[in-house]
């Protein structure tokens, strides 16, 4: 496997403007300050592209915009923000033809952002991480050349929960989906209360059991099948089904 920092450094070197794609549900967790410092050190322009903005509220967007500057909010799924992003790129590039590097953690939506800028499908897109196998150079409007990369930001082994949050690992490959589902519930209790229309009593596992029983997700003998239900929750989270346009950006510790 190519050393990821070597790949990152090459993209920063070759680009005039860098787009750091973040997940609107947890922009702080999906940023990488070491990468941002490298961009600053090389005196390159940086734009924060806050993807999946359709999964958060207007209030959340206003709060996020205070912390990330310059930032553009987009929704690849809803095809929102493409024109605003193009205008910001041209502003940062001084109106000149430029090379734009698109970087970020796996599955934050880099290829989808490229497609949004392109206006039609040009970079292939998948729901699971690791789909982009190598660096791709793609022509876009306004004489822009876009650099699409694999998930160039690496995760450490201890960041498994972070990978799950961002959809960078297939829930089918998680050995303890019930445990990680309970962590999600613990971190975002208001979201899950609203989604399942049931009050959370501060015990995430008990909440998981109650919902599984209510939905008749059972093993033989009538016990709640928490492994199966936990995996379903992770899948629904990653695909954006669990959102209701509300996410607590300051998760409960």
């Amino acid at each position: 496997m190519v050393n990821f920092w070597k790949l990152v450094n090459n993209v920063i070197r070759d680009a005039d403007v860098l787009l750091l794609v973040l997940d609107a549900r947890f922009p702080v967790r999906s940023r990488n300050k070491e990468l941002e410092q490298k961009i600053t050190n090389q005196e390159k322009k940086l734009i924060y592209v806050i993807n999946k903005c359709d999964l958060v509220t207007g209030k959340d967007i206003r709060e996020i915009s205070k912390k990330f500057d310059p930032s553009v909010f987009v929704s690849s799924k809803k095809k929102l923000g493409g024109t605003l992003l193009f205008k910001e790129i041209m502003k940062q590039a001084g109106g000149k033809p430029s090379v734009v590097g698109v970087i970020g953690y796996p599955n934050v939506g880099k290829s989808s952002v490229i497609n949004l800028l392109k206006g039609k499908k040009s970079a292939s897109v998948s729901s699971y991480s690791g789909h982009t196998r190598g660096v791709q150079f793609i022509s876009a409007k306004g004489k822009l050349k876009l650099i699409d990369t694999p998930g160039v930001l690496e995760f450490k082994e201890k960041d498994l929960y972070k990978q799950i949050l961002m959809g960078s690992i297939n829930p089918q490959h998680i050995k303890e989906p019930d445990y990680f589902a309970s962590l999600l519930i613990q971190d975002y209790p208001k979201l899950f209360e609203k989604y399942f229309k049931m009050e959370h009593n501060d015990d995430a596992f008990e909440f998981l059991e109650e919902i599984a029983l209510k939905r008749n997700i059972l093993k033989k003998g009538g016990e709640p099948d928490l492994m199966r239900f936990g995996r379903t929750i992770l899948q629904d989270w990653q695909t954006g089904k669990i959102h209701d346009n509300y996410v607590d950006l300051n998760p409960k510790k």
Side-chain angles (χ1 to χ4, degrees):
M1 181 177 179
V2 178
N3 180 279
F4 87 103
W5 276 123
K6 181 179 179 180
L7 180 58
V8 167
N9 289 332
N10 288 343
V11 172
I12 295 173
R13 180 198 64 203
D14 294 339
D16 303 302
V17 178
L18 282 303
L19 307 182
L20 179 54
V21 184
L22 308 178
D23 191 313
R25 296 172 295 177
F26 28 81
V28 174
R29 278 176 165 163
S30 53
R31 75 187 301 185
N32 184 298
K33 291 190 175 182
E34 185 177 357
L35 170 62
E36 293 171 43
Q37 188 60 53
K38 283 179 176 288
I39 294 171
T40 300
N41 291 344
Q42 293 197 37
E43 299 182 344
K44 298 297 180 75
K45 300 292 186 179
L46 171 64
I47 301 171
Y48 297 101
V49 181
I50 317 298
N51 194 19
K52 307 179 185 179
C53 69
D54 56 304
L55 302 183
V56 297
T57 66
K59 179 181 177 182
D60 295 330
I61 289 173
R62 289 191 292 274
E63 289 300 315
I64 295 168
S65 64
K66 296 176 184 178
K67 301 176 183 178
F68 296 89
D69 183 44
S71 61
V72 178
F73 290 80
V74 304
S75 169
S76 304
K77 185 176 181 180
K78 301 290 186 179
K79 296 182 173 57
L80 299 174
T83 299
L84 289 175
L85 179 56
F86 175 74
K87 288 181 177 179
E88 184 62 35
I89 292 171
M90 295 308 295
K91 176 183 175 181
Q92 296 297 328
K96 300 176 182 178
S98 301
V99 177
V100 180
V102 185
I103 51 183
Y105 281 108
N107 221 47
V108 290
K110 298 185 299 297
S111 295
S112 296
V113 167
I114 284 179
N115 290 339
L116 194 63
L117 281 170
K118 181 71 175 177
K120 61 181 180 180
K121 290 187 177 180
S122 51
S124 57
V125 180
S126 171
S127 298
Y128 297 110
S129 62
H131 182 65
T132 306
R133 299 301 179 184
V135 173
Q136 303 180 61
F137 292 86
I138 301 164
S139 296
K141 63 182 180 179
K143 296 183 179 180
L144 295 180
K145 181 181 286 186
L146 308 175
I147 308 176
D148 186 25
T149 61
V152 295
L153 300 184
E154 73 171 5
F155 288 108
K156 297 178 181 178
E157 186 178 352
K158 66 180 181 180
D159 289 335
L160 180 57
Y161 180 51
K162 190 173 183 179
Q163 294 180 58
I164 292 169
L165 275 175
M166 295 183 191
S168 301
I169 185 170
N170 190 329
Q172 301 304 318
H173 301 157
I174 305 296
K175 293 182 178 179
E176 299 175 308
D178 52 338
Y179 168 71
F180 288 105
S182 71
L183 286 184
L184 268 178
I185 293 169
Q186 181 177 299
D187 276 355
Y188 303 100
K190 293 181 181 179
L191 169 63
F192 283 92
E193 280 186 343
K194 191 168 185 178
Y195 184 75
F196 288 117
K197 297 180 176 61
M198 190 173 208
E199 186 175 350
H200 179 250
N201 63 359
D202 292 331
D203 188 321
F205 254 104
E206 186 175 315
F207 184 81
L208 196 66
E209 288 180 339
E210 289 178 1
I211 300 298
L213 288 169
K214 183 178 179 180
R215 295 196 166 199
N216 203 34
I217 302 174
L218 310 172
K219 297 184 290 187
K220 290 183 178 179
E223 291 293 320
D225 191 340
L226 298 185
M227 293 281 284
R228 179 158 60 97
F229 186 43
R231 192 165 277 115
T232 298
I233 286 177
L234 298 182
Q235 182 70 44
D236 288 350
W237 168 270
Q238 291 185 357
T239 57
K241 185 176 180 180
I242 298 177
H243 66 86
D244 198 24
N245 279 337
Y246 179 85
V247 170
D248 183 354
L249 296 178
N250 297 295
K252 183 179 178 181
K253 299 300 183 184

